[in-house]
Amino acid sequence: NAGVMQNPRHLVRRRGQEARLRCSPMKGHSHVYWYRQLPEEGLKFMVYLQKENIIDESGMPKERFSAEFPKEGPSILRIQQVVRGDSAAYFCASSPRTGSYEQYFGPGTRLTVT
Amino acid sequence: ELKVEQNPLFLSMQEGKNYTIYCNYSTTSDRLYWYRQDPGKSLESLFVLLSNGAVKQEGRLMASLDTKARLSTLHITAAVHDLSATYFCAVDRGDSSYKLIFGSGTRLLVRP
């Protein structure tokens, strides 16, 4: 059973461009969490999604950031008009079902904005 | 606002020594998680503590949870260089979302 997959692993964008980060949860998992880790800091919750639904986006900036988890395909975290402050590692975690505390983390996408 | 505080933030210790990392949190959640992160890598789950008084051990690491004091400890016994990493504790809100709130991490360096 493959683990949580994220791509790309490294992404470089110039200021003002768009960044798309993808997360494929573990097989059979229907819950996805996105976290952001700034350099030398802990992870900060951004958004929690189930298939076709955003359950909690309280940690996501109101502007430029959006997330989706379609019925088919990976979850996508989209950052429009990136700024230098968006440079961070973005981790996705998946969970098997409602009521489960188990979260399995992907390898992360390291976004660098130049 | 839910807060998770770890101390120390940085720990340099000699091989063979013992030390404890502390994690205080402000929620009433009974679920406490410990993770390890190597530089440039993802998080590796070490322990999940689910109830007051829970104690778990794996090799040279032992974690405990006191929900009344809202405190968890990660004890390192006879440290070895391979334990050098950053250790995070995290809690969830105790509701059905299970979203994790992380501490700032403790960077551990074990010197020969």
Side-chain angles (χ1 to χ4, degrees):
Chain A
N1 188 8
V4 178
M5 298 175 68
Q6 290 186 249
N7 69 82
R9 296 290 304 276
H10 298 274
L11 181 61
V12 179
R13 285 287 178 265
R14 291 198 188 96
R15 279 180 296 172
Q17 290 185 318
E18 178 180 290
R20 282 189 180 230
L21 288 63
R22 293 175 184 76
C23 168
S24 296
M26 289 179 70
K27 188 176 180 181
H29 287 196
S30 56
H31 300 256
V32 165
Y33 303 79
W34 284 94
Y35 296 87
R36 176 166 65 175
Q37 184 179 32
L38 295 171
E40 309 298 324
E41 294 188 10
L43 279 71
K44 298 284 194 298
F45 167 78
M46 298 182 74
V47 61
Y48 164 41
L49 309 103
Q50 296 176 17
K51 286 280 188 181
E52 299 185 278
N53 282 308
I54 297 175
I55 306 302
D56 184 345
E57 54 183 348
S58 59
M60 199 155 67
K62 296 284 187 291
E63 297 180 355
R64 302 188 298 109
F65 285 73
S66 63
E68 63 177 11
F69 189 15
K71 187 176 180 181
E72 302 291 338
S75 175
I76 295 176
L77 179 67
R78 182 179 175 210
I79 311 172
Q80 295 179 290
Q81 299 176 325
V82 295
V83 300
R84 288 228 171 99
D86 296 333
S87 295
Y90 292 82
F91 291 95
C92 149
S94 74
S95 177
R97 62 189 182 278
T98 300
S100 171
Y101 57 84
E102 301 169 276
Q103 289 187 30
Y104 298 83
F105 281 83
T109 293
R110 278 151 184 85
L111 172 65
T112 302
V113 179
T114 61
Chain B
E1 182 187 337
L2 172 56
K3 290 186 178 178
V4 180
E5 294 183 348
Q6 285 181 241
N7 71 83
L9 299 182
F10 179 73
L11 176 56
S12 177
M13 58 190 297
Q14 276 189 308
E15 280 192 327
K17 298 292 187 183
N18 305 333
Y19 208 83
T20 300
I21 299 170
Y22 297 88
C23 175
N24 289 91
Y25 57 96
S26 62
T27 183
T28 55
S29 171
D30 292 336
R31 286 186 294 265
L32 192 293
Y33 308 76
W34 284 98
Y35 292 91
R36 168 183 171 144
Q37 186 180 39
D38 291 291
K41 304 292 187 182
S42 187
L43 277 73
E44 174 191 351
S45 178
L46 295 175
F47 302 107
V48 182
L49 303 169
L50 299 176
S51 60
N52 187 41
V55 177
K56 290 193 175 180
Q57 183 164 4
E58 182 72 35
R60 300 173 188 275
L61 301 178
M62 183 174 72
S64 65
L65 178 61
D66 180 345
T67 57
K68 290 183 172 54
R70 298 182 185 175
L71 171 68
S72 179
T73 61
L74 180 66
H75 188 72
I76 303 157
T77 301
V80 293
H81 180 68
D82 284 352
L83 290 179
S84 297
T86 299
Y87 294 84
F88 292 98
C89 67
V91 298
D92 64 51
R93 292 181 175 276
D95 57 23
S96 59
S97 76
Y98 298 94
K99 65 186 182 187
L100 297 174
I101 311 299
F102 284 82
S104 300
T106 296
R107 192 188 303 179
L108 172 65
L109 173 63
V110 181
R111 308 187 311 273

